[in-house]
Amino acid sequence: MVLSLLKSMVTSSRSAATAEAEHTQKGQGAPRVFDFHGGIHPPEHKALSNRAPLVAAPLPREVVLPLSQHIGAPAQPLVEIGQRVKTGELIARAQGMISAPVHASITGVVTAIEPRQIPHVSGLEDLCIVIEREGEIDEWARLEAWRDWRQQEAQDLIQRLQDAGVVGQGGAGFPSAVKARVRERHAIDTLILNAAECEPYITADDLTMRTHPEALIEGLEILASLIGPECILIGIEDNKPEAVIALEQAIRARRADKRLPPLDSRLEVVVVPTKYPSGGEKQLIKLLTDREVPSRGLPADVGVVVHNPGTVRAVQRAVCFGEPMISRVVTLTGEALQHPHNVEARLGTSIADLLRLAAPAPTGIARLVMGGPMMGFTLESDALPIIKTTNCLLASSPESLPTPAVEQPCIRCGMCEQACPAELLPQQLYWFSKAREFDKAELYNLADCIECGACSYVCPSQIPLVQYYRFAKGEIRSAQHEARKSERARHRFEFKQARMAREEAEKEAKRQQRAQAAQKSAAARADASAVADTTSASAATATTTAAAAQPAPATDIKAFKTARAAANIALKKAEKALKAAQDGGESSESDIAKLEANVTAAKAKLASAESALKAASEASESAAPAAAGASTASTAAPAADLKALKTARAAANIAVKKAEKALKTAQDSGEGDIPALETSVAEAKARLAKAEGDLKAASEASESAAPAAASASATGAAAPAADLKALKTARAAANIAVKKAEKALKTAQDSGEGDISALETSVTEAKARLAKAEGDLKAATDAAGAAQGTDKGPVASAAAGSAQTTDTGAAGSSAGAAAPAAAAPSADIKALKTARAAANIAVKKAEKALARASESGEGDIEDLQTLLATAQENLRAAEVRLNSAQAGSTDATLAAKGAGELIPEAPKPAAGSVGRGSMASNVTLSQAEIEASRAENLAKRHKQVSIAVKAAEAAHRKAEAALSEADDENRQRLATKVDRTRRNLEHARESLAEVQALVDAQ
Ligand code: SF4
Ligand code: SF4
């Protein structure tokens, strides 16, 4: 009776399936079933294993439990070798958001925690915990049952799933707890139990549904309470009539049970036609809801969550009984087994042990596959454990799964495209994968391939298409992994560069602080020793004289004040120690005498410090007028100072330009410390203003001191050659400027383009500057000649200049002070090195010209000899200046103080600005690298998106053409396809516009 009912049901379902894609079943009100593109009908071979009942496999002697039986991070072991564990005990905890714990599946002792080969397509090893069973006992860890789970909070239920290590049993092992939180991000209206089990040979879900239908209904209720769908649909192929009946009976019983609250959601069994791969997630959603999951999207994107029967049963066991996931149903099937059936086996059981339960044929197993013949993978060994995702062990004979035929060339028949349930272009994907054009394969939505094997199944050329797709996907994953790695490395590098620059800046700032502190303390020491002399009456006069020549600076006064404060504190301490000793009454007389002596000495030191401070203050005050006088006398700055001031001004000018450039770069890129850079610019401008002011003052003083210089010439002080050289350079520069201006004017006049009057003005101004430069040079030459008593020409002038520059004694105290003062700062040293190199080149040129003239007998030999002598003298002078600057640079500041602040202050960077400068330089370099990398990536992206647009356009055109020729039966499906290709095209065009905008902005 039951059998005839089943038969009639199967017949009815199958006829409905073949009659039309959209049909109704079992009368009015049954849900509609839709269709999906493609699909195939391979032989089912399910009868091999679905006739025997589901049985529990015997407890294994040993289990091998991999720590990564799920998608996500592997679990972390919590046990040690030798530790005894009970069944269901936690032995490895989940790590991270996407992960699942592992529990002991038998009672026994941990004998190893080591890498073992795992059942994976890669054939690689992974860390496993090995447990050896202890006797015959199966002692469970304490479990907490929740028969009243409806009273529990959703969060507690989800935590329960997480703690029990429940993962999806039908796919890649996605943690169910994470899936149960889907409502936090998506609105879900449909929960689907994927009971289609479409792959040939596999019957694990079928037997689970037939054996435990009530558990499945309760499991669905638990999941529905977490995600709140409007309806629960059980999608099942029409080749499982027993399961359909069992589920419907369980639903009826649930509805009739008045002790339980009524079901919140509509719960229905929907029988779908047998067609491979109707059990694909996207295909089943399409069948049951007519919704299409978008490319690279998730079922939740269309409001659907899908679970597998094995998973739902594990959910029910975890929530109702607190039972962790330690076993699963496995189909043992294939022509090489004499007793194929389904077993409930503990995880970690050896495949060899399980196969023995099904009695392998004496002829042996030709091929062992984990999973089905379409989507499974071949195992090289049976010495592997079953894991949470092992649904079937297919032991095939040579006849049932023969060795694949030799691959033939593609004949472009298009059968693969017809069969593809994902509506892809398998032959195109094949070409791209074979040619390693992975970017194009991605553009043709390789990621949407579910590796169902339908295309390979129909291919007349026997091309193992899925193998090509798996290879391409693996390569793409590796490339993406590498890209992520290099991106992380780049971030680390940039971070390190920035950190090093910051540390360097901090070090530089500290170095400067130390240098300033050292200068201060050296000055304080020098002043303190000078003041020590003032304790004698005779030294007082000398101090006054010294003070007149060199007034005590404010920093010295401060040092004296600090010394007095220190002496005061020392006195107070000594007095306190003495008082404590006297009050305590425990100290000996000699100790108290010592302390009294300390107090006396401290008082003397304080008195000395006070008198030193007083003397320094008085000396400073009395020296002020003298210093003013000295300053006046010394305002006739020597030419060497003028040059140094000019150099300082030029350096300050360059610093301003650099700071402005850095600021502009930062403003343009939007990166960098803009306020700090603005401050740098302001400081640099301030320094430039000061340098210009100093130069102006020195120039005026120099001009007013000209008569004095003339009179000084009588005593041998000649006009410095360095000035003459500078003036010659200025005249040459002015001459060039005139020529340039004249050329520009001529070009404009010839072409008739440009602002002629402005150019004429430029020429006039340039000529005026040239005339002034010539006048200055003439005056200086005359002055030098007058100083020497006779005009000795450029050679003599240069020699005189050199002599003056190097003279530190005979030229008098003023010149002597100026010489060390000319020991310019590092910026000047660089300039002096450049000058020496230029002078060297000039010497070489002159030597060459003289040699040529001597050989050829042409040219004015005498003039060239004079030129060479001048160049050599200039070189010597440049070397002397450089040596002097290098020798004196470290003492320059102190020497300047000694010289009455005559030395022009070098353009020092503000505190921290050196560091910032160096950081800016580093950042600029790194920034350049970043920009280059960005530009490269952008160009690549632009190319990819352009190809994507073209591909999308082609696909859309093709879809439109197909729609225009479609008959009524296919019109709706093709209209949907056109709609989808249009959306893809729009999306691709939007992406291209975005990338184009970025390119334009760049
Ligand atoms: S089915 Fe095979 S032969 Fe035909 S187009 Fe596809 S890959 Fe080529
Ligand atoms: S394996 Fe991929 S390309 Fe081939 S039919 Fe299945 S989904 Fe389509």
Side-chain angles (χ1 to χ4, degrees), residues 71 89 103 204 220 255 259 283 292 398 429 445 456 512 546 575 610 635 641 664 704 731 758 767 805 902 926 981 990:
I71 272 190
E89 186 176 330
H103 299 78
L220 285 172
R255 286 198 173 117
R259 292 169 300 171
Q283 285 67 41
E292 287 201 18
L429 293 174
N445 296 324
S456 303
Q512 286 194 1
E575 285 175 341
E610 280 178 341
T635 46
D641 288 346
K664 188 167 182 306
S704 65
R731 186 198 43 190
K767 281 183 176 170
T805 309
L902 284 177
S926 156
T981 55
E990 277 169 23

Side-chain angles (χ1 to χ4, degrees), residues 84-105:
R84 184 178 184 275
V85 292
K86 294 178 183 174
T87 306
E89 186 176 330
L90 181 69
I91 56 172
R93 68 160 163 255
Q95 287 191 97
M97 266 287 290
I98 313 285
S99 184
V102 178
H103 299 78
S105 55

Side-chain angles (χ1 to χ4, degrees), residues 6-7 9-15 17 40-47 50-51 195-203 205-207 209-210 235-245 270-276 278-279:
L6 291 174
K7 278 183 180 167
M9 199 168 169
V10 171
T11 312
S12 147
S13 296
R14 282 196 173 139
S15 61
I40 55 174
H41 294 87
E44 295 175 10
H45 298 292
K46 290 187 185 273
N50 69 2
R51 290 180 185 154
E197 199 169 50
C198 58
E199 179 136 7
Y201 286 97
I202 307 176
T203 56
D205 288 346
D206 186 8
L207 267 291
M209 289 185 285
R210 281 154 58 179
I236 183 166
E237 277 191 344
D238 56 13
N239 58 2
K240 301 176 191 65
E242 293 94 337
V244 171
I245 291 171
V270 186
V271 180
V272 299
T274 297
K275 180 167 85 165
Y276 181 82
S278 60

